[in-house]
Amino acid sequence: MMRVVLILLFTMASTLSIDNGEKIIARQGKVSFFSHTSVEDIKAENNQVFSIVDLEKGKVAVSMLMNAFIFEKALMREHFNESYIESDIYPKATFEGEIIGFDSAIKGEQTRIIKGIFTMHGVPKELEIKTRIENNVSGYVISGEFNTDVKDYDINIPPLLAGNIAKSITINFRFEYRPYDD
């Protein structure tokens, strides 16, 4: 597991092309999703999400292992990984983008748009996400919420189960960053 973590961190750092800028990293970010239908609610949380930010350039990268989502029911997790996300074929989701108008010198809170490409189930999609950025004594915290449509990522839901899964899924995230040392 530690080997996978190190590979993901190296990949994210090299993907961002971060040179001499100040970098911050979140090693245990949290991403959760929620699907509400009249039949059932489905929610899951992943606490093994990695993110790195270049404070000078405002660039951000996120990588998460899809099979790390925890569900209330084991059967939901099995269906999620085997039938919908196909985590054996598409083991991770990634986001690469830029924080628009970001100023790392601002202390306290700022609201910004992060614009970039979110890739899940092998399908890239451009997103603009309203985020809350807190710069406090212990570091940076970036959090937010967005909705995304299941159909945008070529996820096939069998007609028999279509009523159990919402067409639009709400995704929440929270990353607590600390300084990143090369």
Side-chain angles (χ1 to χ4, degrees):
M1 181 63 185
M2 187 58 162
R3 183 175 157 200
V4 172
V5 169
L6 291 173
I7 290 170
L8 286 172
L9 289 174
F10 176 76
T11 302
M12 287 188 319
S14 62
T15 301
L16 272 178
S17 301
I18 296 174
D19 298 322
N20 298 321
E22 185 180 355
K23 298 167 275 188
I24 54 175
I25 188 166
R27 289 184 169 88
Q28 291 184 314
K30 294 177 175 60
V31 173
S32 63
F33 70 83
F34 182 73
S35 163
H36 171 75
T37 66
S38 59
V39 178
E40 72 179 326
D41 290 339
I42 300 171
K43 56 185 171 181
E45 187 173 283
N46 186 337
N47 294 322
Q48 298 179 28
V49 185
F50 303 94
S51 178
I52 189 165
V53 174
D54 179 332
L55 293 173
E56 286 183 16
K57 298 177 184 175
K59 290 187 177 185
V60 60
V62 177
S63 181
M64 69 179 155
L65 295 174
M66 298 307 288
N67 65 4
F69 277 97
I70 305 299
F71 292 78
E72 292 175 347
K73 300 176 184 174
L75 188 57
M76 286 180 178
R77 183 176 187 175
E78 183 180 323
H79 286 168
F80 175 80
N81 285 300
E82 292 178 8
S83 302
Y84 306 126
I85 293 298
E86 301 174 284
S87 59
D88 56 333
I89 300 169
Y90 309 103
K92 67 180 181 173
T94 60
F95 179 84
E96 291 183 38
E98 182 177 353
I99 306 169
I100 308 301
F102 178 65
D103 184 351
S104 64
I106 295 175
K107 298 293 182 201
E109 187 178 314
Q110 55 185 306
T111 301
R112 297 288 182 259
I113 298 294
I114 296 181
K115 184 176 182 178
I117 304 294
F118 178 60
T119 303
M120 181 174 65
H121 199 246
V123 179
K125 180 169 173 44
E126 190 169 313
L127 293 180
E128 289 188 17
I129 306 166
K130 183 178 178 181
T131 60
R132 179 178 158 200
I133 303 169
E134 299 170 64
N135 179 359
N136 55 46
V137 292
S138 62
Y140 284 86
V141 176
I142 297 179
S143 59
E145 175 181 297
F146 65 97
N147 292 318
T148 193
D149 293 337
V150 174
K151 67 177 174 59
D152 290 344
Y153 298 96
D154 295 336
I155 297 170
N156 296 318
I157 299 173
L160 182 63
L161 298 174
N164 294 43
I165 300 170
K167 293 178 183 359
S168 181
I169 307 294
T170 301
I171 300 173
N172 286 282
F173 58 91
R174 179 180 171 83
F175 298 99
E176 295 180 11
Y177 294 90
R178 301 293 178 257
Y180 176 76
D181 298 319
D182 291 336

